[in-house]
Amino acid sequence: MSQKSEHGKWTVSSSDESVDEQDNCDKPSTSLVQRAGRDRAGEPPYPCSEARKAAQKRKSSPLEFRDGNFSSEVQPAPKRLSQEGSGWCLSSSDEEGDCQVQAKRGDAAATSARLEGDCAKEAVKDELPLNHSSTGPSVRVQDTWDLLNGGNPFRFFLTKVKGIKSKYNSGALHIKDILSPLFGTLVSSAQFNYCIDVEWLIHQYPKEFRDKPLLIIHGEKRESKADLHEQAHPYTNVRLCQAKLDIAFGTHHTKMMLLCYEEGLRVVIHTSNLIEDDWYQKTQGVYLLGSTPGRFQNTEKEKWGHLRLRKLLKDHATQVTDEDSWPVIGQFSSIGSLGADRSKWLCSEFRQSLVTLGNSAKSPTDQEVPIHLIYPTVDNVRQSLEGYPAGGSLPYSIQTAQKQLWLHSYFHKWSAKASGRNHAMPHIKTYMRVSPDFQKIAWFIVTSANLSKAAWGAFEKNGAQLMIRSYELGVLFLPSEFGLDTGFFQVKENLLSDEPASSFPVPYDLPPEKYESKDRPWIWNIPYTKAPDTHGNMWVPK
């Protein structure tokens, strides 16, 4: 459907929400469900969002940049789209934007070479080839056993990324590392997730564990549920459990593993979907509970709305000097509808929860505590390792964005040079309270929760109840839980250094850099045809 507004002409893509169903735990259906849509070119072999379907289509059928236009590399070729107004801008002028670039296809390599931080130079010769068949753990990183039982008191890790210098993967994990037999003899496991490729998941387990009982907890309904059952049908050891979702627009977004060994239990809380793309060239976070099988550490972990977070910060966080000047940072990969202005949710109930520090009688006013929101720009995505298809996992829609232009004044660019992930687009979600000089943090969360009311909850009935639509899970890191009485962690300045173990490894650069006038937030369901990505291609979502 084509529409036109003050932001130019654009084409939208949408999907209907499934109706509610009764939850149940059962064996996969014995009758194979035949889905015509599964045979369409470029369709992912697993249930997923429209944004991810668009990304998969562009990967399998890229639109090559050529003389300011594009053409399909596969047949049948899609229609040519006019360049006029094809990009979406928040201001009335694009004079400084990259949408003014008119490059030839032959200039795509030169365009790529100008990437900030020079992505091309980050790839090193001793890395495995950049293809999905080589996404397993690298033999060049330190032994997984040493990594998980070494000097990382936080048990917080990033996932490995293909295409960056090997030194930046030395402390990172692939899913095969997490499921390694080094940690014991697996008896059974449970996987909680949102988007699941069953066949791929099975092959991430060591061969000797692939027939062990596996319970998959999901939120799929109707046709998507049937697709998931069809995927699981060949594996007699796999059982499916549908999470109860009685509220419209809610999702089962929790991402967790329960790994039961003969020697003990390991809990893994993370931010990746159980699909190959999420463990390939994206920035993701992992938390592991338990050092070795049978030995565990205690930490604050809960499924929460923002009121749960408020209580945890009130009961366990410590007040700091001049706390009103300590900003809140939110970093996420998707954004919901937050209301007509900042007072409707972001700078009222949500901020009130995040600024809580200890049992203080003082309540910061609306104007006192700054909020910095980190979300990738169009150029961040265009210049990424994946190119435009990385935007498939950043599903901020034009329909939502145009209703809350006020929000974009809070936006800051994605920048992660310190972790070598400047061009690995974030699917990780993190929130923190940081000092004015960005050298200390009062607390840190890694979570599945994006910036939305569905994830964090919103007051209803004049504040009498909190409506939370989705299942989410995260980990709250507090200084007091790690024996620090200062009320804060020091930020680890160099993630590759041997700084004190109590320094916290924030996975992106601080302070965050505010959007410039030419910057635009990534919107997934409009075309970008004015400049090529790192693979020389364009983005047209349909």
Side-chain angles (χ1 to χ4, degrees), residues 510-530:
L510 296 177
E513 183 182 354
K514 195 173 180 64
Y515 275 23
E516 300 175 56
S517 60
K518 68 181 180 63
D519 291 317
R520 305 290 181 262
W522 170 260
I523 307 293
W524 82 268
N525 57 344
I526 61 175
Y528 299 98
T529 62
K530 296 286 187 176

Side-chain angles (χ1 to χ4, degrees), residues 322-370:
D322 197 24
E323 67 180 66
D324 290 349
S325 63
W326 285 53
V328 168
I329 292 180
Q331 175 273 311
F332 38 82
S333 62
S334 186
I335 307 168
S337 180
L338 306 183
D341 60 64
R342 67 178 194 165
S343 68
K344 296 299 187 291
W345 185 79
L346 179 70
C347 292
S348 54
E349 58 181 278
F350 185 63
R351 176 158 65 177
Q352 186 60 49
S353 291
L354 272 65
V355 300
T356 301
L357 280 179
N359 192 10
S360 172
K362 183 178 182 296
S363 178
T365 67
D366 184 59
Q367 300 295 328
E368 288 177 331
V369 179

Side-chain angles (χ1 to χ4, degrees), residues 83-257:
Q83 288 293 310
E84 182 178 359
S86 60
W88 182 66
C89 299
L90 299 184
S91 68
S92 59
S93 172
D94 288 339
E95 291 177 356
E96 297 179 3
D98 282 313
C99 55
Q100 292 296 314
V101 175
Q102 298 292 327
K104 294 183 182 294
R105 175 64 184 93
D107 294 332
T111 301
S112 300
R114 291 195 297 269
L115 302 184
E116 182 180 4
D118 200 349
C119 175
K121 292 181 180 178
E122 289 182 3
V124 290
K125 292 181 180 179
D126 62 353
E127 286 285 351
L128 294 174
L130 293 183
N131 57 65
H132 283 46
S133 64
S134 65
T135 57
S138 169
V139 297
R140 296 184 179 276
V141 300
Q142 64 193 97
D143 184 271
T144 306
W145 178 269
D146 294 334
L147 175 63
L148 299 188
N149 296 283
N152 185 341
F154 303 111
R155 298 288 190 248
F156 173 52
F157 303 91
L158 298 179
T159 56
K160 292 177 181 175
V161 173
K162 285 300 173 183
I164 65 175
K165 291 181 179 179
S166 58
K167 66 180 181 180
Y168 292 114
N169 281 327
S170 63
L173 297 172
H174 186 265
I175 187 172
K176 288 185 176 179
D177 296 320
I178 297 170
L179 299 175
S180 170
L182 285 171
F183 303 110
T185 303
L186 189 70
V187 176
S188 61
S189 61
Q191 296 281 355
F192 300 70
N193 220 288
Y194 174 65
C195 187
I196 304 159
D197 183 340
V198 177
E199 181 179 7
W200 178 84
L201 172 61
I202 292 293
H203 284 87
Q204 305 316 298
Y205 284 83
K207 289 183 179 179
E208 60 266 37
F209 296 156
R210 289 177 187 172
D211 61 350
K212 300 296 183 181
L214 169 59
L215 177 65
I216 296 176
I217 296 87
H218 66 93
E220 303 295 349
K221 300 178 182 179
R222 302 178 67 185
E223 292 182 346
S224 293
K225 179 181 175 182
D227 280 351
L228 191 62
H229 276 247
E230 183 180 352
Q231 281 192 67
H233 177 73
Y235 306 101
T236 58
N237 60 309
V238 175
R239 295 181 64 88
L240 301 177
C241 179
Q242 182 184 359
K244 186 181 177 75
L245 284 167
D246 290 336
I247 305 175
F249 307 111
T251 62
H252 180 261
H253 206 238
T254 291
K255 295 171 178 63
M256 177 172 66
M257 306 180 190

